[in-house]
Amino acid sequence: MADMLNLKCDAWLLPTDSTVRIEQHWLRANPDLRGIAAASASKDFRAGTVLAEPVAPWELADPLPVLTAVPLDGTWDSTTVALRLEAFVRAATSAASSPALRPYRLLAVPFFGTAGGGAGNHLGAMLRGLLDVCANLASEFAVDLVIVLRDKAAFSLAQKLRRDAGGSACWPSLGDGLHAKAQELGELARSGHLVPFLGAGVSVSAGAPSWRELLTALRAGVELEEGAAAAFEKLAVLDQAGVLEQLYIDQHGSRAAFGEAVARAVDLQRYGLAPALLAAVPSSGAITLNYDRLFELACHDAQRPRTVLPENIPAVGNSWLLKLHGSVSQPASIVLTRDDYLGYNSNREALSALVKAHLLTHHLLFVGFGLADDHFHEIVHDVRRALPKGLSEGHHMGTVLSLFHEPLQSMVWKGKLDILSMPAESSAEHGNADQSRLALATSGRELEIFLDMLAAYATDNHSYLLAPAYDAGMNHAETQLRAQLLKLAVQPRPPGTEEVWALLDETLERLGHSGSNNEESAS
């Protein structure tokens, strides 16, 4: 559940036809997209002999749109979708540059052909076909395909179909142990007991800087005295940040300039897969140390908006995101220097208390998070101290998803945190720098796959059941249940049953029933 134009990917499928007609909502990618695409489309594409080709020229920094033709006559079957998706993948892999942060190109596909391409009347069958074709193409062309959906019914049915297929079919690289953990965590999320805790690694796939890269970017905005560079490099990172803050004050006239420089360095416009997958996981709360706005944007696009704390107090609604170390929306709130950390408890004790309460009452899922953060250690220490004597050792607070095999950290956190390492990390500590980067990228991809499986098992929506045109995606038992519920929806409502019918109508609506399928109900 995302907005494809806000997703960081290498290329995306732009639905059109041989006349190069482009719907209004795609113009957010570029207001001049219609003109650029019309000038880009070749004679062969317009003649229908080429089914997909990249838009050119295009900004290299932006995901590449690939014109992909739906049939003009509106006919749509499994062969039609397979041919066009294969043409899209071929065109995208030949034109899109090799990814810098992933082992495979990431190609984004909308619910192709359902808005005006002819598949809108049989959405369930189309969804089954889309899943099958994408799985085959991903394997054949060694790419990652992400199906981006905007409709809750389509999303819930897609996840249900994948759960029915099983872990070995849809997530084969993870292995039985991680399959079991992803399913367990997904079911925890469905029950309302999982709280995501996001670290910097969640934003890396979108191009966010590491701590060291952030300091390097900040250093470019000030001048160090001649000969001070070597001494600066020897400082601890918190002290480097403190020096840079003082230099910004001295050279730019205020501390605000420092906060604004941090905000510019981390304020990205497109989220990667990790925030998008986590945004679909049901949870009342989420916690992050990140300054960027990627997760709240992903939550908005997943139709699960969150109130950001502490900048919105009192919180409105039941879903919130606690930004412990500040936000780019309020640069003065950013926690980066040693002084910031030392002053944290006196300034934000209530925020830490919220984290501690969730460590006591929920299961936290730490993603993209290094366990060396002093603030995290302090919070965990206070939670353990608050527990009755004898219970602190056995209190299991959460699960950490790690890119590395960390036996010593597992020893330190034994009985408190379950540390899960992703496959393919074994060579990260060996070989040359290129091999280490590849191993790290591969482990990062496996973490995305794990989150994908977790999100599939966490999906608690069944709105496909009564939604129009999804019946071909259901099994026989679901089809029978659908027919019974649709008959119930049009039953007479005698006086004195209004309160009960209000509850039934609410449930039917959650299952996808609306006025648009009343005619189907009556039949």
Side-chain angles (χ1 to χ4, degrees):
M1 285 288 288
D3 183 332
M4 200 161 69
L5 298 182
N6 290 335
L7 179 69
K8 181 72 172 179
C9 60
D10 296 297
W12 55 281
L13 187 154
L14 173 57
T16 183
D17 55 28
S18 57
T19 67
V20 200
R21 180 172 58 89
I22 294 174
E23 297 293 337
Q24 179 71 28
H25 56 269
W26 298 118
L27 301 187
R28 282 183 38 244
N30 186 316
D32 299 323
L33 182 57
R34 284 178 176 147
I36 297 170
S40 171
S42 68
K43 291 181 180 179
D44 289 335
F45 184 85
R46 293 178 181 275
T49 55
V50 170
L51 297 177
E53 60 185 22
V55 172
W58 195 253
E59 291 291 334
L60 291 178
D62 293 335
L64 175 69
V66 177
L67 297 171
T68 306
V70 298
L72 276 173
D73 60 6
T75 58
W76 199 263
D77 54 30
S78 57
T79 302
T80 301
V81 66
L83 286 173
R84 280 154 176 78
L85 284 174
E86 180 176 344
F88 160 70
V89 172
R90 288 186 182 277
T93 52
S94 64
S97 57
S98 298
L101 300 171
R102 306 183 85 258
Y104 303 109
R105 291 179 178 87
L106 182 65
L107 312 181
V109 179
F111 202 177
F112 187 37
T114 57
N121 294 323
H122 42 93
L123 298 174
M126 174 59 187
L127 193 58
R128 280 186 181 273
L130 188 62
L131 287 167
D132 290 341
V133 170
C134 284
N136 293 334
L137 291 173
S139 176
E140 180 181 353
F141 289 90
V143 296
D144 286 333
L145 284 159
V146 53
I147 301 172
V148 183
L149 301 170
R150 302 290 293 148
D151 177 54
K152 287 184 178 180
F155 182 77
S156 60
L157 178 56
Q159 299 293 43
K160 192 263 179 185
L161 292 171
R162 299 167 85 215
R163 291 195 302 270
D164 287 350
S168 59
C170 291
W171 305 275
S173 65
L174 295 179
D176 292 342
L178 289 177
H179 285 165
K181 291 302 296 185
Q183 186 170 348
E184 176 189 326
L185 291 167
E187 290 168 354
L188 268 176
R190 291 179 73 161
S191 67
H193 291 105
L194 194 72
V195 175
F197 195 127
L198 285 61
V202 170
S203 300
V204 165
S205 61
S210 67
W211 187 290
R212 287 285 184 186
E213 290 168 341
L214 173 58
L215 292 177
T216 299
L218 294 174
R219 188 171 166 179
V222 291
E223 294 183 9
L224 277 172
E225 292 183 6
E226 188 175 347
F232 179 84
E233 292 297 334
K234 293 178 182 179
L235 295 174
V237 289
L238 290 178
D239 295 323
Q240 287 184 1
V243 169
L244 291 172
E245 178 186 47
Q246 189 58 50
L247 288 173
Y248 271 86
I249 293 171
D250 294 343
Q251 297 176 18
H252 296 277
S254 71
R255 203 268 181 191
F258 179 68
E260 290 164 3
V262 175
R264 284 194 300 272
V266 302
D267 194 16
L268 305 173
Q269 304 306 309
R270 293 187 179 91
Y271 45 77
L273 275 185
L277 294 167
L278 285 165
V281 174
S283 68
S284 59
I287 305 164
T288 185
L289 301 184
N290 298 342
Y291 316 131
D292 61 62
R293 290 179 280 204
L294 297 179
F295 184 63
E296 50 258 54
L297 175 60
C299 289
H300 175 271
D301 290 348
Q303 298 171 40
R304 292 179 178 270
R306 292 183 179 274
T307 299
V308 178
L309 303 176
E311 58 190 75
N312 294 293
I313 294 177
V316 178
N318 296 322
S319 296
W320 48 266
L321 171 65
L322 173 59
K323 303 189 80 167
L324 275 173
H325 285 179
S327 174
V328 295
S329 61
Q330 295 183 333
S333 69
I334 288 173
V335 175
L336 183 59
T337 69
R338 189 176 298 281
D339 281 348
D340 294 334
Y341 276 82
L342 291 174
Y344 191 94
N345 281 343
S346 59
N347 295 330
R348 306 192 185 188
E349 188 174 348
L351 304 184
S352 293
L354 187 57
V355 180
K356 294 168 188 174
H358 278 76
L359 282 168
L360 286 169
T361 60
H362 291 68
H363 188 94
L364 267 65
L365 178 68
F366 298 93
V367 187
F369 193 92
L371 295 178
D373 187 275
D374 288 339
H375 183 222
F376 171 75
H377 279 263
E378 187 174 307
I379 290 171
V380 174
H381 172 75
D382 287 348
V383 169
R384 293 181 63 205
R385 191 172 56 184
L387 288 169
K389 192 171 184 180
L391 291 181
S392 61
E393 290 302 319
H395 180 65
H396 193 78
M397 292 174 284
T399 299
V400 179
L401 304 185
S402 174
L403 298 185
F404 311 103
H405 180 54
E406 300 184 273
L408 296 181
Q409 286 284 15
S410 297
M411 185 184 302
V412 170
W413 295 104
K414 185 177 181 180
K416 310 175 194 71
L417 294 172
D418 186 10
I419 300 179
L420 299 181
S421 60
M422 297 298 109
E425 85 289 350
S426 58
S427 61
E429 298 175 4
H430 308 285
N432 59 37
D434 289 339
Q435 290 174 324
S436 296
R437 278 193 294 270
L438 177 60
L440 185 63
T442 303
S443 292
R445 176 177 177 269
E446 292 300 317
L447 187 145
E448 292 170 346
I449 292 171
F450 183 90
L451 292 176
D452 182 37
M453 185 175 181
L454 189 162
Y457 279 93
T459 301
D460 60 353
N461 184 287
H462 299 87
S463 56
Y464 65 88
L465 191 65
L466 299 183
Y470 282 100
D471 49 312
M474 303 178 203
N475 59 37
H476 179 66
E478 286 177 317
T479 303
Q480 287 187 314
L481 177 59
R482 171 188 171 87
Q484 292 172 332
L485 290 172
L486 288 175
K487 287 180 181 178
L488 173 65
V490 293
Q491 291 299 306
R493 305 180 179 198
T497 63
E498 292 87 358
E499 291 184 2
V500 175
W501 270 109
L503 292 173
L504 289 173
D505 285 338
E506 184 181 340
T507 300
L508 291 170
E509 186 177 346
R510 287 203 304 269
L511 294 175
H513 189 263
S514 66
S516 63
N517 48 8
N518 277 343
E519 184 177 337
E520 180 186 2
S521 304
S523 63

